[in-house]
Amino acid sequence: MFGNILDHLGNTPIISIKSKELNNIELYAKLEYYNPTGSVKDRAANYIIKKLLNLGKINKDTVIIESSSGNFGIALSVYCRKHELKFYCVIDPNITPVNEMIIKKLSTRTIKVTKPDSNGGYLLERIKKVEQLLANIYNSYWINQYANAYNAEAYYNTLGAELCNEINQIDYIFLGVSSGGTITGVSKKIKERHPNAKVVAVDVVGSVIFGGKPMKRHIPGIGSSMVPEILQQAKIDEVIQVDEMSTINMCYELLEKHSILAGGSSGSVFAAIKKYFSNKSFLNRPKVVAIFPDRGDRYSSTIYNEEWCADLLNVSDKYVV
């Protein structure tokens, strides 16, 4: 029995995924949507806030500020509230309606930017707004998930450590990349315990993280309009890029064939794994770990809405599996 739902943090389940198209590997998925607010971002929000308080870098009067496409904003809203801290969240039009509703209900203040940046997204404009708030608000602190070393440290000490304790052999691990903290922290821990493991970063078409051409993206939580500074410390062996159509199809496949209602970045990771291991053969089947960061019910108006998918892809609804 837990005294508070936020005490049920981490120790998320790992499941085996069987697929005819992937019978050349052993695939295991870490379901991070079992964290209290529904995503892997709980780990960072809880860790960073506690660390900053313990170090005296923030206090009860500090205004916490962050730019978020959804999950981190929700997590920070909850963990700031737990510690009676004020939290200002900067969002943009790509946020799903349910995520926006939750952040507005739980944060102290929500600011939405509406002007696209030079890359067609909103991230750079969100950062500009954060900088304006910092300049105008006394005793304010920007979490800055894109560059804050505590972000990677959080995943090194929590998710990375869990994986190493739960799985005795890791040959490959696939992680979606957005702000960069998860893959940076997890990759460092995995490489310590499993030096021969290959860390595969998953990105989407339209993201510039790994040198891709900037394009308008519609699914939040993966990809970025800028290269996160924190990625300089990541231990990445390979990068796989997938398109949003593949992301959507794999979300539906996870739901219909594996009973996993997962978010967009999970669909991207699953698509990347299929793409990577297609037509590969091995003497011994490698053990492959996939991180599924969030749950799919918050994408009910987008990925799991066939009309939205048809409009996005400019094809008939038959495209969606």
Side-chain angles (χ1 to χ4, degrees), residues 65-118:
I65 303 173
E66 183 58 304
S67 155
S68 173
S69 60
N71 286 326
F72 198 37
I74 290 174
L76 282 172
S77 295
V78 169
Y79 289 96
C80 282
R81 181 174 284 252
K82 175 184 179 182
H83 293 282
E84 299 180 349
L85 297 168
K86 294 181 283 294
F87 173 56
Y88 288 14
C89 191
V90 180
I91 62 173
D92 65 57
N94 279 344
I95 191 171
T96 63
V98 65
N99 282 352
E100 183 173 2
M101 178 273 294
I102 294 171
I103 292 174
K104 283 184 174 179
K105 290 288 185 183
L106 296 177
S107 65
T108 308
R109 182 183 173 195
T110 304
I111 303 99
K112 180 186 277 191
V113 302
T114 56
K115 175 187 173 184
D117 57 38
S118 57

Side-chain angles (χ1 to χ4, degrees), residues 158-171:
T158 61
L159 179 55
E162 270 181 40
L163 289 167
C164 289
N165 291 333
E166 293 167 339
I167 304 176
N168 59 11
Q169 177 185 332
I170 299 176
D171 298 306

Side-chain angles (χ1 to χ4, degrees), residues 27-274:
L27 177 58
Y28 302 94
K30 181 77 162 165
L31 305 184
E32 284 296 287
Y33 56 77
Y34 277 90
N35 281 306
T37 75
S39 86
V40 69
K41 298 293 189 178
D42 280 58
R43 296 180 184 271
N46 176 65
Y47 186 95
I48 294 171
I49 292 299
K50 289 173 69 174
K51 179 111 183 180
L52 293 173
L53 286 169
N54 289 338
L55 292 174
K57 293 191 174 185
I58 61 173
N59 55 46
K60 293 292 185 180
D61 298 319
T62 304
V63 174
I64 305 298
I65 303 173
E66 183 58 304
S67 155
S68 173
S69 60
N71 286 326
F72 198 37
I74 290 174
L76 282 172
S77 295
V78 169
Y79 289 96
C80 282
R81 181 174 284 252
K82 175 184 179 182
H83 293 282
E84 299 180 349
L85 297 168
K86 294 181 283 294
F87 173 56
Y88 288 14
C89 191
V90 180
I91 62 173
D92 65 57
N94 279 344
I95 191 171
T96 63
V98 65
N99 282 352
E100 183 173 2
M101 178 273 294
I102 294 171
I103 292 174
K104 283 184 174 179
K105 290 288 185 183
L106 296 177
S107 65
T108 308
R109 182 183 173 195
T110 304
I111 303 99
K112 180 186 277 191
V113 302
T114 56
K115 175 187 173 184
D117 57 38
S118 57
N119 289 329
Y122 296 93
L123 177 56
L124 302 183
E125 289 299 316
R126 293 203 321 249
I127 300 302
K128 287 182 183 178
K129 177 57 69 174
V130 168
E131 291 171 344
Q132 291 173 7
L133 292 170
L134 287 171
N136 293 321
I137 301 173
Y138 173 74
N139 192 10
S140 56
Y141 184 95
W142 179 20
I143 296 294
N144 192 5
Q145 59 183 313
Y146 314 99
N148 192 331
Y150 300 149
N151 188 16
E153 186 179 300
Y155 293 108
Y156 175 91
N157 287 319
T158 61
L159 179 55
E162 270 181 40
L163 289 167
C164 289
N165 291 333
E166 293 167 339
I167 304 176
N168 59 11
Q169 177 185 332
I170 299 176
D171 298 306
Y172 296 85
I173 182 166
F174 285 69
L175 304 97
V177 180
S178 181
S179 56
T182 307
I183 195 168
T184 300
V186 171
S187 66
K188 291 173 74 174
K189 174 60 77 171
I190 294 297
K191 288 289 190 178
E192 286 180 3
R193 192 75 63 89
H194 305 277
N196 295 322
K198 285 192 174 182
V199 176
V200 183
V202 180
D203 198 13
V204 291
V205 173
S207 167
V208 305
I209 296 176
F210 299 102
K213 180 181 178 181
M215 295 171 56
K216 182 173 177 58
R217 292 172 289 113
H218 305 84
I219 300 173
I222 188 167
S224 178
S225 299
M226 70 177 191
V227 180
E229 180 182 327
I230 201 170
L231 274 182
Q232 294 175 8
Q233 307 301 318
K235 308 291 185 180
I236 297 172
D237 295 293
E238 298 185 58
V239 177
I240 298 291
Q241 193 173 59
V242 300
D243 56 63
E244 290 188 324
M245 294 184 289
S246 298
T247 293
I248 292 168
N249 269 344
M250 290 305 99
C251 283
Y252 274 73
E253 182 170 319
L254 285 171
L255 176 60
E256 296 182 353
K257 295 185 178 180
H258 305 284
S259 302
I260 298 173
L261 180 59
S265 50
S266 303
S268 297
V269 167
F270 193 45
I273 290 171
K274 284 198 168 188

Side-chain angles (χ1 to χ4, degrees), residues 4-38:
N4 187 297
I5 186 60
L6 300 183
D7 296 334
H8 189 259
L9 175 61
N11 296 312
T12 52
I14 296 178
I15 63 163
S16 173
I17 295 182
K18 311 292 185 184
S19 170
K20 292 180 180 178
E21 297 168 281
L22 294 171
N23 57 14
N24 55 342
I25 65 173
E26 292 181 29
L27 177 58
Y28 302 94
K30 181 77 162 165
L31 305 184
E32 284 296 287
Y33 56 77
Y34 277 90
N35 281 306
T37 75

